[in-house]
Coordinates of all heavy atoms in Angstrom, one line a residue:
M1 N 53.7 -75.8 -6.4 CA 53.2 -76.4 -5.2 C 53.1 -75.4 -4.1 O 54.0 -74.6 -3.9 CB 54.1 -77.5 -4.7 CG 53.5 -78.4 -3.7 SD 54.7 -79.6 -3.0 CE 54.3 -79.5 -1.3
D2 N 51.9 -75.3 -3.5 CA 51.8 -74.2 -2.4 C 52.2 -74.8 -1.1 O 51.9 -75.9 -0.7 CB 50.3 -73.7 -2.4 CG 49.3 -74.9 -2.2 OD1 49.6 -76.0 -2.6 OD2 48.2 -74.6 -1.7
T3 N 52.9 -73.9 -0.3 CA 53.3 -74.3 1.0 C 52.3 -74.1 2.0 O 51.5 -73.1 1.9 CB 54.6 -73.6 1.4 OG1 54.4 -72.2 1.2 CG2 55.8 -74.0 0.5
L4 N 52.2 -74.9 3.0 CA 51.3 -74.7 4.1 C 51.7 -73.5 5.0 O 52.8 -73.3 5.2 CB 51.2 -76.0 5.0 CG 50.5 -77.2 4.4 CD1 50.8 -78.4 5.1 CD2 49.0 -77.0 4.3
P5 N 50.7 -72.7 5.4 CA 51.1 -71.6 6.3 C 51.6 -72.0 7.7 O 51.3 -73.1 8.1 CB 49.8 -70.8 6.4 CG 48.7 -71.8 6.1 CD 49.3 -72.8 5.2
Q6 N 52.3 -71.1 8.3 CA 52.9 -71.4 9.6 C 51.8 -71.4 10.7 O 50.8 -70.6 10.6 CB 53.9 -70.3 9.9 CG 54.9 -70.7 11.0 CD 55.9 -69.6 11.2 OE1 56.0 -68.7 10.5 NE2 56.6 -69.7 12.3
C7 N 52.0 -72.2 11.7 CA 51.1 -72.2 12.9 C 51.0 -70.8 13.5 O 52.0 -70.1 13.7 CB 51.6 -73.2 13.9 SG 50.7 -73.3 15.4
N8 N 49.8 -70.4 14.0 CA 49.6 -69.1 14.6 C 50.0 -69.0 16.0 O 50.0 -68.0 16.6 CB 48.2 -68.7 14.4 CG 48.0 -67.8 13.2 OD1 49.0 -67.3 12.7 ND2 46.8 -67.5 12.9
A9 N 50.1 -70.2 16.7 CA 50.3 -70.2 18.1 C 51.7 -69.7 18.5 O 52.7 -69.7 17.8 CB 50.2 -71.7 18.6
K10 N 51.7 -69.1 19.7 CA 53.0 -68.5 20.3 C 53.3 -69.2 21.6 O 52.4 -69.5 22.4 CB 52.8 -67.0 20.5 CG 54.0 -66.2 20.6 CD 53.8 -64.8 20.6 CE 53.4 -64.3 22.0 NZ 53.2 -62.9 22.1
S11 N 54.6 -69.6 21.7 CA 55.0 -70.3 22.9 C 54.9 -69.5 24.2 O 55.3 -68.3 24.2 CB 56.4 -70.8 22.8 OG 56.8 -71.3 24.0
K12 N 54.3 -70.0 25.2 CA 54.2 -69.3 26.5 C 55.6 -69.2 27.2 O 55.8 -68.3 27.9 CB 53.2 -70.0 27.4 CG 51.8 -69.8 27.1 CD 50.9 -70.6 28.1 CE 49.5 -70.6 27.5 NZ 48.7 -71.6 28.2
Q13 N 56.4 -70.2 26.9 CA 57.7 -70.3 27.5 C 58.7 -69.3 26.8 O 59.3 -68.5 27.5 CB 58.3 -71.7 27.5 CG 57.7 -72.5 28.6 CD 58.3 -74.0 28.6 OE1 58.5 -74.5 27.5 NE2 58.5 -74.5 29.7
S14 N 58.9 -69.5 25.5 CA 59.9 -68.7 24.8 C 59.4 -67.4 24.3 O 60.1 -66.5 24.1 CB 60.5 -69.5 23.7 OG 59.5 -69.8 22.7
G15 N 58.1 -67.4 24.0 CA 57.5 -66.2 23.5 C 57.6 -66.1 21.9 O 57.1 -65.2 21.3
Y16 N 58.3 -67.2 21.4 CA 58.4 -67.2 19.9 C 57.2 -67.9 19.3 O 56.5 -68.8 20.0 CB 59.7 -68.0 19.6 CG 60.9 -67.2 19.9 CD1 61.9 -67.8 20.8 CD2 61.2 -66.0 19.3 CE1 63.0 -67.1 21.1 CE2 62.3 -65.3 19.6 CZ 63.3 -65.8 20.5 OH 64.4 -65.2 20.7
R17 N 57.0 -67.6 18.1 CA 55.9 -68.3 17.3 C 56.3 -69.7 17.0 O 57.4 -70.0 16.7 CB 55.7 -67.5 16.1 CG 54.4 -67.8 15.4 CD 54.2 -66.9 14.2 NE 53.1 -67.5 13.4 CZ 52.8 -67.0 12.2 NH1 53.4 -65.9 11.7 NH2 51.9 -67.5 11.5
C18 N 55.3 -70.6 17.0 CA 55.4 -72.0 16.7 C 55.9 -72.1 15.3 O 55.4 -71.4 14.4 CB 54.1 -72.7 16.9 SG 54.1 -74.4 16.3
K19 N 56.9 -72.9 15.0 CA 57.5 -73.1 13.7 C 56.9 -74.2 12.9 O 57.2 -74.4 11.7 CB 59.0 -73.3 13.8 CG 59.7 -72.0 14.3 CD 61.2 -72.2 14.3 CE 61.9 -71.0 14.7 NZ 61.9 -70.9 16.2
N20 N 55.9 -74.9 13.5 CA 55.3 -76.0 12.7 C 54.4 -75.4 11.6 O 53.9 -74.3 11.7 CB 54.4 -76.8 13.7 CG 55.3 -77.7 14.5 OD1 56.3 -78.3 14.1 ND2 54.9 -77.8 15.8
F21 N 54.1 -76.3 10.7 CA 53.1 -75.9 9.6 C 51.7 -76.1 10.2 O 51.5 -77.1 10.9 CB 53.3 -76.7 8.4 CG 54.6 -76.4 7.7 CD1 55.6 -77.3 7.6 CD2 54.9 -75.1 7.2 CE1 56.8 -77.0 7.0 CE2 56.1 -74.8 6.6 CZ 57.1 -75.7 6.5
S22 N 50.8 -75.3 9.8 CA 49.4 -75.4 10.3 C 48.7 -76.6 9.5 O 49.1 -76.9 8.4 CB 48.6 -74.2 10.1 OG 48.5 -73.9 8.7
V23 N 47.7 -77.1 10.2 CA 46.9 -78.2 9.6 C 46.1 -77.6 8.5 O 45.6 -76.4 8.6 CB 46.0 -78.8 10.6 CG1 45.0 -79.8 10.0 CG2 46.8 -79.5 11.7
K24 N 45.9 -78.3 7.4 CA 45.2 -77.8 6.2 C 43.8 -77.3 6.6 O 43.1 -77.9 7.3 CB 45.0 -78.9 5.2 CG 45.3 -78.5 3.8 CD 45.2 -79.7 2.8 CE 45.5 -79.2 1.4 NZ 45.5 -80.4 0.5
G25 N 43.5 -76.0 6.3 CA 42.2 -75.5 6.6 C 42.1 -74.9 8.0 O 41.1 -74.3 8.4
K26 N 43.2 -75.0 8.8 CA 43.2 -74.4 10.1 C 44.4 -73.4 10.3 O 45.2 -73.4 9.4 CB 43.5 -75.6 11.1 CG 42.4 -76.6 11.2 CD 41.2 -76.2 12.1 CE 40.1 -77.2 12.1 NZ 40.3 -78.4 12.8
K27 N 44.3 -72.7 11.4 CA 45.4 -71.7 11.5 C 46.5 -72.1 12.5 O 47.5 -71.4 12.7 CB 44.8 -70.4 12.1 CG 44.0 -69.6 11.0 CD 43.4 -68.4 11.6 CE 42.8 -67.6 10.4 NZ 41.7 -66.7 10.9
V28 N 46.3 -73.3 13.0 CA 47.3 -73.9 14.0 C 47.8 -75.3 13.6 O 47.1 -75.9 12.8 CB 46.8 -73.9 15.4 CG1 46.7 -72.5 16.0 CG2 45.4 -74.5 15.5
C29 N 49.0 -75.6 14.1 CA 49.5 -77.0 13.8 C 48.7 -78.0 14.6 O 47.9 -77.7 15.5 CB 51.0 -77.0 14.1 SG 51.3 -76.9 15.9
W30 N 49.1 -79.3 14.4 CA 48.3 -80.3 15.1 C 48.6 -80.3 16.6 O 47.7 -80.7 17.4 CB 48.6 -81.7 14.5 CG 50.1 -82.1 14.7 CD1 51.1 -81.8 13.9 CD2 50.6 -82.9 15.8 NE1 52.3 -82.3 14.4 CE2 52.0 -83.0 15.6 CE3 50.0 -83.6 16.9 CZ2 52.8 -83.8 16.4 CZ3 50.8 -84.3 17.7 CH2 52.2 -84.4 17.5
I31 N 49.7 -79.8 17.0 CA 50.1 -79.7 18.5 C 49.2 -78.7 19.1 O 48.7 -78.9 20.2 CB 51.6 -79.4 18.7 CG1 52.4 -80.5 18.1 CG2 51.8 -79.2 20.2 CD1 53.9 -80.1 18.0
H32 N 48.9 -77.6 18.4 CA 48.2 -76.5 19.0 C 46.7 -76.5 18.7 O 46.0 -75.5 18.7 CB 48.8 -75.2 18.6 CG 50.1 -74.9 19.1 ND1 51.3 -74.9 18.4 CD2 50.5 -74.8 20.4 CE1 52.3 -74.7 19.2 NE2 51.9 -74.6 20.4
G33 N 46.2 -77.7 18.5 CA 44.7 -77.9 18.4 C 44.2 -78.0 17.0 O 43.0 -78.0 16.8
G34 N 45.1 -78.0 16.0 CA 44.6 -78.1 14.6 C 43.9 -79.4 14.3 O 43.0 -79.4 13.5
K35 N 44.3 -80.4 15.1 CA 43.7 -81.7 14.9 C 42.3 -81.8 15.5 O 41.4 -82.6 15.1 CB 44.6 -82.8 15.5 CG 45.0 -83.9 14.5 CD 45.9 -84.9 15.2 CE 45.9 -86.2 14.5 NZ 46.6 -87.2 15.2
S36 N 42.1 -81.0 16.6 CA 40.8 -81.0 17.3 C 39.8 -80.3 16.5 O 40.0 -79.3 15.9 CB 41.0 -80.4 18.7 OG 39.7 -80.2 19.3
S37 N 38.6 -80.9 16.5 CA 37.5 -80.2 15.8 C 36.4 -79.8 16.8 O 35.3 -79.7 16.5 CB 36.9 -81.1 14.7 OG 36.5 -82.4 15.3
G38 N 36.9 -79.6 18.0 CA 35.9 -79.2 19.1 C 35.2 -80.3 19.8 O 35.3 -81.5 19.4
P39 N 34.5 -79.9 20.8 CA 33.8 -80.9 21.6 C 32.7 -81.6 20.8 O 32.1 -81.0 19.9 CB 33.2 -80.2 22.8 CG 33.1 -78.8 22.3 CD 34.2 -78.6 21.3
K40 N 32.5 -82.9 21.0 CA 31.5 -83.7 20.3 C 30.2 -83.9 21.0 O 29.1 -83.7 20.5 CB 32.0 -85.0 19.9 CG 33.2 -85.0 18.9 CD 32.7 -84.8 17.5 CE 33.8 -84.8 16.5 NZ 34.7 -83.6 16.7
S41 N 30.3 -84.2 22.3 CA 29.1 -84.5 23.1 C 28.4 -83.3 23.6 O 29.0 -82.2 23.7 CB 29.4 -85.4 24.2 OG 30.2 -84.7 25.2
Q42 N 27.1 -83.3 23.9 CA 26.4 -82.2 24.4 C 27.0 -81.7 25.7 O 27.2 -80.5 26.0 CB 24.9 -82.6 24.6 CG 24.0 -81.4 25.0 CD 24.0 -80.3 24.0 OE1 24.0 -80.6 22.8 NE2 24.0 -79.1 24.4
Q43 N 27.5 -82.7 26.5 CA 28.2 -82.4 27.8 C 29.5 -81.7 27.5 O 29.7 -80.7 28.2 CB 28.5 -83.8 28.4 CG 28.2 -83.8 29.9 CD 28.5 -85.2 30.4 OE1 28.8 -86.1 29.7 NE2 28.3 -85.4 31.7
G44 N 30.2 -82.1 26.5 CA 31.5 -81.4 26.2 C 31.3 -80.0 25.7 O 32.0 -79.1 26.1
V45 N 30.2 -79.8 24.9 CA 29.9 -78.5 24.4 C 29.6 -77.5 25.5 O 30.0 -76.4 25.6 CB 28.7 -78.5 23.4 CG1 28.2 -77.2 23.1 CG2 29.1 -79.3 22.1
E46 N 28.8 -78.1 26.5 CA 28.3 -77.3 27.6 C 29.5 -76.9 28.5 O 29.6 -75.8 29.0 CB 27.3 -78.2 28.4 CG 26.3 -77.4 29.3 CD 25.5 -76.4 28.4 OE1 25.0 -76.8 27.3 OE2 25.3 -75.3 28.8
K47 N 30.5 -77.9 28.6 CA 31.6 -77.7 29.5 C 32.5 -76.6 28.9 O 32.9 -75.7 29.7 CB 32.4 -79.0 29.5 CG 33.5 -79.0 30.6 CD 34.2 -80.4 30.6 CE 35.6 -80.3 31.2 NZ 36.4 -81.5 30.9
I48 N 32.8 -76.6 27.6 CA 33.6 -75.6 27.0 C 32.8 -74.2 27.1 O 33.5 -73.2 27.4 CB 33.8 -75.9 25.5 CG1 34.6 -77.2 25.3 CG2 34.5 -74.8 24.7 CD1 36.0 -77.1 25.8
R49 N 31.5 -74.2 26.9 CA 30.8 -73.0 27.0 C 30.9 -72.4 28.3 O 31.1 -71.2 28.5 CB 29.3 -73.3 26.7 CG 28.4 -72.1 26.4 CD 27.1 -72.5 25.9 NE 27.1 -72.9 24.5 CZ 26.1 -73.6 24.0 NH1 25.1 -74.1 24.7 NH2 26.2 -74.0 22.7
N50 N 30.8 -73.2 29.4 CA 30.9 -72.7 30.7 C 32.3 -72.1 31.0 O 32.5 -71.2 31.7 CB 30.6 -73.8 31.7 CG 29.1 -74.0 31.8 OD1 28.3 -73.1 31.4 ND2 28.7 -75.2 32.2
L51 N 33.3 -72.8 30.4 CA 34.7 -72.4 30.6 C 35.0 -71.0 30.0 O 35.7 -70.2 30.4 CB 35.7 -73.4 30.1 CG 35.9 -74.7 30.9 CD1 36.8 -75.7 30.1 CD2 36.6 -74.3 32.2
K52 N 34.3 -70.9 28.8 CA 34.6 -69.6 28.0 C 33.7 -68.5 28.5 O 34.0 -67.3 28.1 CB 34.4 -69.9 26.5 CG 35.4 -70.9 26.0 CD 35.8 -70.5 24.6 CE 36.9 -71.4 24.1 NZ 38.0 -70.7 23.5
T53 N 32.6 -68.8 29.2 CA 31.8 -67.7 29.6 C 32.3 -67.1 30.9 O 32.5 -67.8 31.9 CB 30.3 -68.2 29.9 OG1 29.9 -68.9 28.7 CG2 29.4 -67.1 30.2
K54 N 32.5 -65.8 30.9 CA 33.1 -65.1 32.1 C 32.0 -64.6 33.0 O 32.1 -64.9 34.2 CB 34.0 -64.0 31.6 CG 35.4 -64.4 31.2 CD 36.2 -63.3 30.7 CE 37.6 -63.8 30.2 NZ 38.3 -62.8 29.4
H55 N 31.0 -63.9 32.5 CA 30.0 -63.4 33.3 C 28.6 -63.6 32.7 O 27.6 -63.3 33.4 CB 30.3 -61.9 33.7 CG 30.7 -61.1 32.5 ND1 30.0 -61.0 31.4 CD2 31.9 -60.5 32.3 CE1 30.7 -60.3 30.5 NE2 31.9 -60.0 31.0
G56 N 28.5 -63.9 31.5 CA 27.2 -64.1 30.8 C 26.5 -62.9 30.5 O 25.3 -63.0 30.1
V57 N 27.1 -61.7 30.5 CA 26.4 -60.5 30.2 C 26.0 -60.4 28.8 O 25.1 -59.8 28.4 CB 27.3 -59.3 30.7 CG1 26.6 -57.9 30.2 CG2 27.4 -59.2 32.2
Y58 N 26.8 -61.0 27.9 CA 26.6 -60.9 26.5 C 26.1 -62.2 25.9 O 26.0 -62.3 24.7 CB 27.9 -60.5 25.8 CG 28.4 -59.2 26.2 CD1 29.5 -59.0 27.0 CD2 27.7 -58.0 25.8 CE1 29.9 -57.7 27.4 CE2 28.1 -56.8 26.2 CZ 29.2 -56.6 27.0 OH 29.6 -55.4 27.4
T59 N 25.6 -63.1 26.7 CA 25.0 -64.3 26.1 C 23.7 -63.9 25.5 O 23.1 -62.9 25.8 CB 24.7 -65.4 27.2 OG1 23.9 -64.8 28.2 CG2 26.0 -65.9 27.8
R60 N 23.2 -64.7 24.5 CA 22.0 -64.4 23.8 C 20.8 -64.2 24.7 O 20.1 -63.3 24.5 CB 21.7 -65.6 22.8 CG 21.0 -65.1 21.5 CD 21.0 -66.2 20.5 NE 22.3 -66.6 20.1 CZ 22.6 -67.8 19.6 NH1 21.7 -68.7 19.5 NH2 23.8 -68.1 19.2
N61 N 20.7 -65.1 25.7 CA 19.6 -64.9 26.6 C 19.6 -63.6 27.4 O 18.6 -63.0 27.6 CB 19.6 -66.1 27.6 CG 19.0 -67.4 27.0 OD1 18.3 -67.3 25.9 ND2 19.3 -68.5 27.6
A62 N 20.8 -63.3 27.9 CA 21.0 -62.1 28.7 C 20.6 -60.8 27.9 O 20.0 -59.9 28.4 CB 22.4 -62.0 29.3
V63 N 21.1 -60.8 26.6 CA 20.8 -59.7 25.8 C 19.3 -59.6 25.5 O 18.7 -58.5 25.6 CB 21.6 -59.8 24.4 CG1 21.2 -58.7 23.4 CG2 23.1 -59.7 24.7
E64 N 18.7 -60.7 25.2 CA 17.3 -60.8 24.9 C 16.5 -60.3 26.2 O 15.5 -59.5 26.1 CB 16.9 -62.2 24.6 CG 15.4 -62.4 24.2 CD 15.1 -61.6 22.9 OE1 16.0 -61.4 22.1 OE2 13.9 -61.2 22.8
D65 N 16.9 -60.7 27.3 CA 16.3 -60.3 28.6 C 16.3 -58.8 28.7 O 15.3 -58.2 29.1 CB 17.0 -60.9 29.8 CG 16.5 -62.3 30.0 OD1 15.5 -62.8 29.3 OD2 17.1 -63.0 30.9
R66 N 17.5 -58.2 28.4 CA 17.6 -56.7 28.6 C 16.7 -56.0 27.6 O 16.1 -55.0 28.0 CB 19.1 -56.3 28.4 CG 19.9 -56.6 29.6 CD 21.2 -55.8 29.6 NE 22.1 -56.1 28.5 CZ 22.9 -57.2 28.5 NH1 23.0 -57.9 29.6 NH2 23.7 -57.5 27.5
I67 N 16.6 -56.5 26.4 CA 15.7 -55.9 25.4 C 14.3 -55.9 25.9 O 13.5 -54.9 25.8 CB 15.8 -56.6 24.0 CG1 17.2 -56.3 23.4 CG2 14.7 -56.2 23.1 CD1 17.6 -57.2 22.2
Q68 N 13.9 -57.1 26.4 CA 12.5 -57.3 26.9 C 12.2 -56.3 28.1 O 11.2 -55.7 28.2 CB 12.2 -58.7 27.3 CG 12.2 -59.7 26.2 CD 11.1 -59.4 25.2 OE1 10.0 -59.0 25.6 NE2 11.3 -59.7 24.0
F69 N 13.2 -56.2 28.9 CA 13.1 -55.4 30.1 C 12.9 -53.9 29.7 O 12.1 -53.2 30.3 CB 14.3 -55.6 31.1 CG 14.2 -54.8 32.4 CD1 13.2 -55.2 33.3 CD2 15.0 -53.8 32.7 CE1 13.0 -54.5 34.5 CE2 14.9 -53.2 33.9 CZ 13.9 -53.5 34.8
R70 N 13.7 -53.5 28.7 CA 13.7 -52.1 28.3 C 12.3 -51.8 27.7 O 11.7 -50.7 27.9 CB 14.8 -51.9 27.2 CG 15.3 -50.5 27.3 CD 16.5 -50.3 26.4 NE 17.6 -51.2 26.8 CZ 18.5 -51.7 25.9 NH1 18.5 -51.4 24.7 NH2 19.5 -52.5 26.4
K71 N 11.8 -52.8 26.9 CA 10.4 -52.6 26.3 C 9.4 -52.5 27.4 O 8.5 -51.6 27.4 CB 10.1 -53.9 25.5 CG 10.5 -53.7 24.0 CD 10.0 -54.9 23.2 CE 10.7 -55.0 21.9 NZ 10.5 -56.3 21.3
F72 N 9.5 -53.3 28.5 CA 8.6 -53.3 29.6 C 8.7 -51.9 30.3 O 7.6 -51.3 30.6 CB 9.0 -54.4 30.6 CG 8.3 -54.3 31.9 CD1 6.9 -54.6 32.0 CD2 8.9 -53.8 33.0 CE1 6.3 -54.5 33.2 CE2 8.3 -53.7 34.2 CZ 7.0 -54.1 34.3
L73 N 9.9 -51.4 30.5 CA 10.0 -50.1 31.1 C 9.4 -49.0 30.3 O 8.7 -48.1 30.8 CB 11.5 -49.7 31.3 CG 12.2 -50.4 32.5 CD1 13.6 -49.9 32.6 CD2 11.5 -50.1 33.8
Q74 N 9.6 -49.1 28.9 CA 9.0 -48.1 28.0 C 7.5 -48.1 28.1 O 6.9 -47.1 28.2 CB 9.4 -48.5 26.6 CG 9.9 -47.2 25.8 CD 10.6 -47.7 24.6 OE1 10.4 -48.8 24.1 NE2 11.5 -46.8 24.1
E75 N 6.9 -49.3 28.1 CA 5.5 -49.5 28.2 C 4.9 -48.9 29.5 O 3.9 -48.2 29.6 CB 5.1 -50.9 28.1 CG 5.0 -51.4 26.6 CD 4.9 -52.9 26.5 OE1 4.4 -53.5 27.5 OE2 5.2 -53.4 25.4
A76 N 5.6 -49.2 30.6 CA 5.2 -48.7 31.9 C 5.3 -47.2 31.9 O 4.4 -46.6 32.5 CB 6.2 -49.3 33.0
D77 N 6.3 -46.6 31.3 CA 6.5 -45.2 31.3 C 5.3 -44.5 30.5 O 4.7 -43.6 31.0 CB 7.8 -44.9 30.6 CG 8.2 -43.4 30.9 OD1 8.2 -43.0 32.0 OD2 8.6 -42.7 29.9
E78 N 5.0 -45.1 29.3 CA 3.9 -44.6 28.5 C 2.6 -44.7 29.3 O 1.8 -43.8 29.3 CB 3.8 -45.4 27.2 CG 4.8 -45.0 26.2 CD 4.9 -46.0 25.0 OE1 3.9 -46.8 24.8 OE2 5.9 -46.0 24.3
M79 N 2.4 -45.8 30.0 CA 1.1 -46.0 30.8 C 1.0 -44.9 31.9 O 0.0 -44.3 32.1 CB 1.2 -47.4 31.4 CG -0.2 -48.0 31.5 SD -0.2 -49.5 32.5 CE 0.7 -50.6 31.4
L80 N 2.2 -44.6 32.5 CA 2.2 -43.6 33.5 C 1.9 -42.3 33.0 O 1.1 -41.5 33.6 CB 3.6 -43.6 34.2 CG 3.8 -43.0 35.5 CD1 3.1 -43.9 36.6 CD2 5.2 -42.8 35.9
H81 N 2.4 -42.0 31.8 CA 2.1 -40.7 31.2 C 0.6 -40.6 30.9 O 0.0 -39.5 31.1 CB 2.9 -40.5 29.9 CG 4.3 -40.1 30.1 ND1 4.6 -38.8 30.6 CD2 5.5 -40.7 30.0 CE1 5.9 -38.7 30.8 NE2 6.5 -39.8 30.4
R82 N 0.0 -41.7 30.4 CA -1.4 -41.6 30.1 C -2.2 -41.4 31.3 O -3.2 -40.6 31.3 CB -1.9 -43.0 29.4 CG -2.0 -42.8 27.9 CD -2.4 -44.1 27.3 NE -1.2 -44.9 27.0 CZ -1.1 -46.2 27.0 NH1 -2.1 -46.9 27.3 NH2 0.0 -46.8 26.7
V83 N -1.9 -42.0 32.4 CA -2.6 -41.8 33.7 C -2.4 -40.4 34.1 O -3.4 -39.8 34.6 CB -2.0 -42.8 34.8 CG1 -2.6 -42.5 36.2 CG2 -2.3 -44.2 34.4
E84 N -1.2 -39.8 34.0 CA -1.0 -38.4 34.4 C -1.9 -37.5 33.6 O -2.4 -36.5 34.1 CB 0.5 -38.1 34.2 CG 1.4 -38.5 35.3 CD 2.8 -38.3 35.1 OE1 3.2 -37.9 33.9 OE2 3.6 -38.4 36.0
E85 N -2.0 -37.8 32.3 CA -2.9 -37.0 31.4 C -4.3 -37.0 31.9 O -5.0 -36.0 31.8 CB -2.8 -37.5 29.9 CG -1.5 -37.2 29.3 CD -1.2 -35.8 29.0 OE1 -2.1 -35.0 28.6 OE2 -0.1 -35.4 29.3
Q86 N -4.8 -38.2 32.3 CA -6.2 -38.3 32.7 C -6.4 -37.6 34.0 O -7.5 -37.0 34.3 CB -6.5 -39.8 32.9 CG -6.8 -40.5 31.5 CD -7.0 -42.0 31.7 OE1 -6.9 -42.5 32.8 NE2 -7.3 -42.6 30.6
I87 N -5.4 -37.6 34.9 CA -5.6 -36.9 36.2 C -5.7 -35.4 36.0 O -6.5 -34.7 36.7 CB -4.4 -37.2 37.1 CG1 -4.5 -38.7 37.5 CG2 -4.4 -36.4 38.4 CD1 -3.2 -39.2 38.2
K88 N -5.0 -34.8 35.0 CA -5.0 -33.4 34.8 C -6.4 -32.8 34.5 O -7.2 -33.4 33.8 CB -4.0 -33.0 33.6 CG -2.6 -32.9 34.1 CD -1.7 -32.5 32.9 CE -0.3 -32.6 33.3 NZ 0.6 -32.5 32.2
Ligands
ZN1 ZN1 51.9 -74.9 16.5

């Protein structure tokens, strides 16, 4: 018979690791969120997302924006070079 692994959580008060067994398929016990399967409603998902987002620099949209902006700068630069060539 295989034993369940220990919960990964560490107590904020004592600093010791939680001695409970983790929930099957999870890394933490039921007290430390093993029972929770995350937010269900769109509102809940949004709430967690906002709580976990610190500055949004690495969100998919922000990264995509930077890529687009870099492309735009490159194109503008190339255009400028072409204009310079024609002036010469
Ligand atoms: Zn625990």
